[in-house]
Amino acid sequence: MQLKIVSWNIWGGRKLPEIIQCLSEANPDIIGLQEVLQDEGGANNSAKAIADALGYTYIYETTTLLIPSISHLLEKHGIDKNMEWGNAIVSRYPISDRNVHVLSGDRKRTALEGTVTVEGKSLHIFSTHLVYAPAQPSEIQAAQAQNLLKVVPKESGLVMGDFNATPDSKIIEDMASAMVNTEGDPAKYTADGKKIDYIFSTADIKTLSSGTLDSQASDHLPVYAIIEI
């Protein structure tokens, strides 16, 4: 069976109608989202809005509370209230066994895990967003990647997200040594003229094609992989 997987850092969902239109046209089966915003306390969650528009189900987990006075992200949005920020998984198929893995306490980052069941087969889906580290190498990033690999199963696993690391970095080399990088064209940028967004799979999953979707709805391009399970 073939499935279309998309990962996208949605920039807080500031262009939500365009995001929904892009995803509707792409027609993915499973989506990993990063930089998902919601009001403090849970209202107006951008992943929920996407899932509702597509008729999908979703799970979300807050990574941190953003406060306007110290958050550049909220400043970019023109938002003057506290917001929660995190990762989400959106799926055409049922999601169960929700888990949250803390990848680092310092500059906290997490990986959200959900089990997606497709025609009786369970897939372990992870959506994550590693810390921004402009000066490579980064000890915090390296620790986050290693902690992530510790919780990914050996089979039926998909890890997607914004790794804030280029293909020649140690972090991505470590990920690719343990999992399969589904994208065959590392030169294709996804943000800021760099390739920093990825989809990794366990070796039992076959990648049929991969690439990026064209969209101006975020400061990142969505990446996709068509897989066979």
Side-chain angles (χ1 to χ4, degrees):
M1 181 178 182
Q2 294 183 14
L3 296 172
K4 188 172 188 178
I5 313 299
V6 168
S7 180
W8 200 357
N9 178 326
I10 60 170
W11 207 17
R14 62 185 295 175
K15 296 183 178 180
L16 200 53
E18 291 92 337
I19 290 169
I20 291 170
Q21 179 180 356
C22 176
L23 292 173
S24 178
E25 292 173 354
N27 194 32
D29 297 291
I30 302 170
I31 309 163
L33 299 175
Q34 303 85 45
E35 286 196 16
V36 175
L37 287 183
Q38 67 177 17
D39 292 347
E40 187 177 11
N44 299 314
N45 182 287
S46 49
K48 180 181 187 303
I50 292 168
D52 288 349
L54 298 177
Y56 288 12
T57 188
Y58 84 103
I59 56 174
Y60 164 84
E61 176 63 25
T62 292
T63 298
T64 191
L65 177 67
L66 300 180
I67 300 171
S69 60
I70 59 173
S71 171
H72 178 58
L73 179 63
L74 294 184
E75 181 182 336
K76 288 193 298 184
H77 286 266
I79 297 172
D80 60 0
K81 60 182 178 180
N82 292 354
M83 300 288 290
E84 296 177 358
W85 177 88
N87 304 307
I89 297 169
V90 179
S91 173
R92 186 192 306 274
Y93 300 96
I95 306 174
S96 61
D97 299 329
R98 175 184 180 279
N99 289 294
V100 179
H101 306 282
V102 177
L103 304 182
S104 63
D106 183 14
R107 301 175 69 185
K108 181 183 175 184
R109 292 298 168 106
T110 65
L112 175 63
E113 177 189 3
T115 301
V116 174
T117 303
V118 182
E119 296 188 356
K121 181 175 179 60
S122 294
L123 294 173
H124 304 281
I125 309 297
F126 295 78
S127 178
T128 193
H129 185 182
L130 300 192
V131 70
Y132 178 64
Q136 295 288 344
S138 164
E139 292 184 4
I140 295 177
Q141 253 193 6
Q144 290 170 349
Q146 288 302 316
N147 288 333
L148 175 59
L149 288 172
K150 289 176 184 178
V151 298
V152 177
K154 299 299 183 183
E155 296 182 342
S156 303
L158 287 164
V159 176
M160 61 187 94
D162 175 359
F163 282 76
N164 273 315
T166 55
D168 59 351
S169 67
K170 179 67 163 57
I171 286 79
I172 299 307
E173 289 177 1
D174 289 347
M175 290 296 303
S177 68
M179 303 187 73
V180 176
N181 186 344
T182 64
E183 294 155 272
D185 182 10
K188 180 65 175 179
Y189 77 90
T190 57
D192 298 326
K194 299 176 182 178
K195 168 68 177 173
I196 59 175
D197 300 271
Y198 303 85
I199 299 174
F200 296 96
S201 75
T202 49
D204 57 306
I205 295 174
K206 182 179 180 181
T207 301
L208 302 177
S209 63
S210 61
T212 58
L213 304 176
D214 291 329
S215 175
Q216 301 297 315
S218 172
D219 59 346
H220 289 244
L221 289 175
V223 296
Y224 76 88
I226 296 176
I227 64 170
E228 186 173 67
I229 61 172

